[in-house]
């Protein structure tokens, strides 16, 4: 081919591909391999902050979901639930499928795919001859996650003693010095490069997580078509058997899961107690009645007309309808289980009561904080203390 023609073709190729310019500062990938949505969302905010601190493009992983009766996790594209564009206002990001299709062939050959983990991870199928490894694809969801994009690893890097706390000790610089993008164009982490629960400094990154047009439309439609006109309270009840078991750990700890969101990251507002994790039905009804009354007093023009309940097991619809019938407040839920639609609707309620220990509730709380909407937690502050304080004030 004539050199001239080649140059023209090359030129048009480059301009055509302008949107997919390679980031010379590199990329960061990870598997959201721990927990369900709430945990993964906490981790996402940390990973977003971390990738910005390292100035690497964040590869947006799919959400990992588990369905009853299925052995392998399902990977749901990131943008099924959230928009990509608002994230770009904060930092460079790319959907994992787009990265694999358009960028990986140029910067990440199969024989250069090295997984990153803090230290050796033991394999489920030990082989005496094998050397220390991240075993990044061992087990579920690890294998199914990378398999979704046909990714395999040829080697491992242990990054200990580095960590993800980029808000302290010049951690980002240490990463950049040890793993420069020129040598490591893609860093794929075995798990999220973030802490759980989300660091306090990263909570406000929630403002860049905006529901996808489909979910935004579905929540508006539900509120318009199913709820009576007027103000409503959103409730999150976490009461399934896994939660009842998890709450037993309250006894051994100062904090549990998302509890720093109400107790404070240094227990400024107390230590954990059982009801904070698993409020009784009586407490729930007492607290709701109190909230409805206080809204009526403080905002008589916008009285509570209905309650929307999201729950993983028991929605308490009958109990709530019975208890609130005299207040002319009716209770609603989704007809079909859809955790993300539950979250999206709770984000729009006039008032919200969530479970302080639950990272599912924490997602709603952060979204509402960003919008300036009020939120409360079951059994917080502790009822007994409240009585004592009221008494002392007299
Ligand atoms: N539909 C629905 N599912 C829920 C609700 N609460 C919990 N779940 C399910 O239970 C999972 C709980 O795990 P996670 O999100 O990590 O939150 P956490 O365990 O409460 O901290 C969620 O991801 C949902 O799949 C709810 O209110 N509605
Ligand atoms: C961060 O990366 C972007 C894109 O690669 C680059 O344009 C920018 O100069 C980098 N910033 C710093 C502070 O290195
Ligand atoms: C992965 O490989 C399989 C089999 O080679 C192929 O059918 C599939 O399309 C590939 N998927 C992706 C995302 O490349
Ligand atoms: C009860 O609520 C409905 C709508 O939720 C409203 O139309 C009706 O006027 C209310 N009745 C009373 C007595 O407040
Ligand atoms: Mg969980």
């Amino acid at each position: 081919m004539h050199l001239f023609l080649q140059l023209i073709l090359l030129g048009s190729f480059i301009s055509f591909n302008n949107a997919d310019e390679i980031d010379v500062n590199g990329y960061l990938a990870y598997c959201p391999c721990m927990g369900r949505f709430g945990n993964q969302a906490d981790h996402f905010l940390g990973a977003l902050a971390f990738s910005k601190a390292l100035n690497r493009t964040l590869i947006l992983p799919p959400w990992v979901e588990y369905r009853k009766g299925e052995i392998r996790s399902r990977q749901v594209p990131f943008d099924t639930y959230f928009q990509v564009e608002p994230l770009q206002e904060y930092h460079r990001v790319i959907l994992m499928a787009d990265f694999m299709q358009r960028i990986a062939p140029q910067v990440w050959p199969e024989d250069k795919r090295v997984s990153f983990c803090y230290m050796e991870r033991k394999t489920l199928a030990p082989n005496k001859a094998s050397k220390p490894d991240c075993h990044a694809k061992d087990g579920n969801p690890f294998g199914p996650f990378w398999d979704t994009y046909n990714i395999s690893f040829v080697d491992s890097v242990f990054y200990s003693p580095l960590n993800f706390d980029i808000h302290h000790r010049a951690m980002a610089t240490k990463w950049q010095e040890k793993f420069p993008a020129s040598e490591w164009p893609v860093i794929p982490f075995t798990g999220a490069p973030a802490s759980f629960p989300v660091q306090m400094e990263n909570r406000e990154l929630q403002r860049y997580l905006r529901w996808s047009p489909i979910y935004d439309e579905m929540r508006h439609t539900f509120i318009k078509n199913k709820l009576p006109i007027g103000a409503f309270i959103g409730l999150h009840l976490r009461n399934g058997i896994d939660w009842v078991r998890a709450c037993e750990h309250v006894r051994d700890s100062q904090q549990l899961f998302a509890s720093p969101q109400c107790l404070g990251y240094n227990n400024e507002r107390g230590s954990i107690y059982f009801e904070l994790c698993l409020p009784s039905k009586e407490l729930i009804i007492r607290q709701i009645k109190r909230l409805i009354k206080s809204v009526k007093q403080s905002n008589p023009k916008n009285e509570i007309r209905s309650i929307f309940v999201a729950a993983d097991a028991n929605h308490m619809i009958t109990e709530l309808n019975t208890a609130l019938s005299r207040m002319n407040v009716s209770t609603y839920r989704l007809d079909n289980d859809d955790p993300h639609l539950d979250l999206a609707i709770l984000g729009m309620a006039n008032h919200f009561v969530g479970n302080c220990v639950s990272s599912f509730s924490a997602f709603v709380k952060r979204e509402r904080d960003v919008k300036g909407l009020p939120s409360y937690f079951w059994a917080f502050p502790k009822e007994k203390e409240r009585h004592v304080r009221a008494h002392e004030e007299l």
Side-chain angles (χ1 to χ4, degrees):
M1 207 190 290
H2 292 293
L3 181 63
F4 179 66
L5 191 56
Q6 270 183 21
L7 283 178
I8 289 178
L9 284 176
L10 191 63
S12 62
F13 180 73
I14 286 170
S15 59
F16 183 73
N17 259 8
N18 236 358
D20 295 335
E21 225 170 52
I22 304 296
D23 186 352
V24 295
N25 284 294
Y27 297 83
L28 192 158
Y30 74 93
C31 172
C33 274
M34 193 198 89
R36 288 184 282 172
F37 180 78
N39 298 56
Q40 293 176 36
D42 265 46
H43 271 159
F44 174 75
L45 298 184
L48 183 60
F50 184 69
S51 64
K52 183 171 171 104
L54 267 57
N55 202 21
R56 283 173 175 268
T57 296
L58 177 63
I59 298 172
L60 300 173
W63 302 96
V64 172
E65 297 185 1
Y66 306 90
R67 310 271 163 96
K68 263 207 188 88
E70 292 183 14
I71 306 161
R72 292 168 70 84
S73 61
R74 294 246 197 130
Q75 280 59 240
V76 179
F78 185 91
D79 60 346
T80 302
Y81 303 128
F82 301 102
Q83 300 176 47
V84 175
E85 237 173 52
L87 289 163
Q88 309 270 21
E89 288 169 26
Y90 175 71
H91 185 55
R92 302 181 307 281
V93 297
I94 184 171
L95 289 168
M96 192 151 177
D98 292 345
F99 173 82
M100 289 311 294
Q101 196 189 348
R102 307 202 297 246
I103 312 285
Q106 304 176 65
V107 303
W108 208 32
E110 286 176 19
D111 62 349
K112 292 270 162 57
R113 297 183 179 176
V114 177
S115 62
F116 277 57
C117 52
Y118 184 78
M119 54 190 277
E120 177 184 7
R121 291 173 73 245
K122 296 293 176 197
T123 173
L124 298 176
N127 165 2
K128 277 179 205 127
S130 65
K131 58 181 182 118
D133 196 287
C134 290
H135 296 291
K137 295 182 67 174
D138 241 40
N140 190 42
F142 296 90
F145 177 81
W146 300 106
D147 278 344
T148 304
Y149 304 98
N150 289 340
I151 296 169
S152 289
F153 300 102
V154 295
D155 205 352
S156 300
V157 159
F158 308 121
Y159 58 75
S160 146
L162 298 186
N163 65 50
F164 309 128
D165 182 6
I166 41 92
H167 300 287
H168 301 99
R169 295 181 295 276
M171 193 44 75
T173 312
K174 291 180 189 165
W175 277 94
Q176 287 168 328
E177 283 167 6
K178 191 155 180 196
F179 303 109
S182 52
E183 208 177 319
W184 303 96
V186 183
I187 297 185
F189 286 103
T190 308
S195 59
F196 178 81
V198 61
Q199 258 186 302
M200 192 168 51
E201 292 88 342
N202 298 332
R203 291 175 56 88
E204 67 127 21
L205 298 185
Q206 182 83 27
R207 72 176 63 252
Y208 301 102
L209 264 186
R210 309 240 180 88
W211 289 102
S212 64
I214 287 179
Y215 272 84
D216 203 40
E217 158 94 35
M218 284 198 289
R219 67 169 164 180
H220 278 107
T221 304
F222 180 88
I223 292 168
K224 187 161 158 267
N225 294 349
K226 300 287 168 105
L227 301 186
I229 293 171
F232 75 101
I233 302 177
L235 308 183
H236 179 221
L237 301 181
R238 188 74 165 92
N239 48 25
I241 187 67
D242 68 316
W243 195 252
V244 174
R245 295 221 179 93
C247 290
E248 288 170 11
H249 295 288
V250 162
R251 266 177 275 137
D252 328 317
S253 40
Q254 295 269 307
Q255 302 267 15
L256 185 65
F257 307 146
S259 66
Q261 68 176 323
C262 67
L263 299 176
Y265 279 74
N266 297 304
N267 288 102
E268 301 93 308
R269 291 180 289 280
S271 289
I272 198 165
Y273 42 95
F274 187 75
E275 297 256 274
L276 195 65
C277 192
L278 201 64
S280 66
K281 286 185 176 174
E282 294 73 25
L283 184 149
I284 287 167
I285 286 170
R286 260 200 317 277
Q287 195 168 334
I288 284 300
K289 282 185 171 171
R290 212 188 293 134
L291 178 57
I292 295 171
K293 280 183 200 152
S294 91
V295 172
K296 188 172 180 155
Q297 277 181 356
S298 62
N299 196 355
K301 289 210 178 99
N302 203 16
E303 277 184 44
I304 301 299
R305 286 279 170 236
S306 63
I307 309 265
F308 172 76
V309 186
D312 59 319
N314 183 353
H315 290 72
M316 287 180 59
I317 298 291
T318 313
E319 291 97 327
L320 286 165
N321 272 330
T322 306
L324 304 178
S325 62
R326 284 181 52 212
M327 301 176 110
N328 196 23
V329 171
S330 45
T331 308
Y332 300 82
R333 56 171 287 186
L334 293 183
D335 296 328
N336 301 309
D337 185 58
D338 185 340
H340 301 87
L341 186 52
D342 270 346
L343 288 170
I345 294 169
L346 293 175
M348 285 192 71
N350 300 74
H351 299 267
F352 167 64
V353 190
N355 185 310
C356 173
V357 181
S358 164
S359 61
F360 194 86
S361 276
F363 187 92
V364 178
K365 167 77 162 96
R366 290 191 305 265
E367 175 173 330
R368 298 174 60 83
D369 282 355
V370 165
K371 295 186 195 162
L373 295 171
S375 304
Y376 326 91
F377 296 105
W378 300 118
F380 185 83
K382 211 173 183 173
E383 276 194 325
K384 224 190 277 163
E385 281 178 0
R386 193 170 20 225
H387 291 317
V388 170
R389 253 188 243 137
H391 189 73
E392 279 169 353
E393 278 159 19
L394 292 174

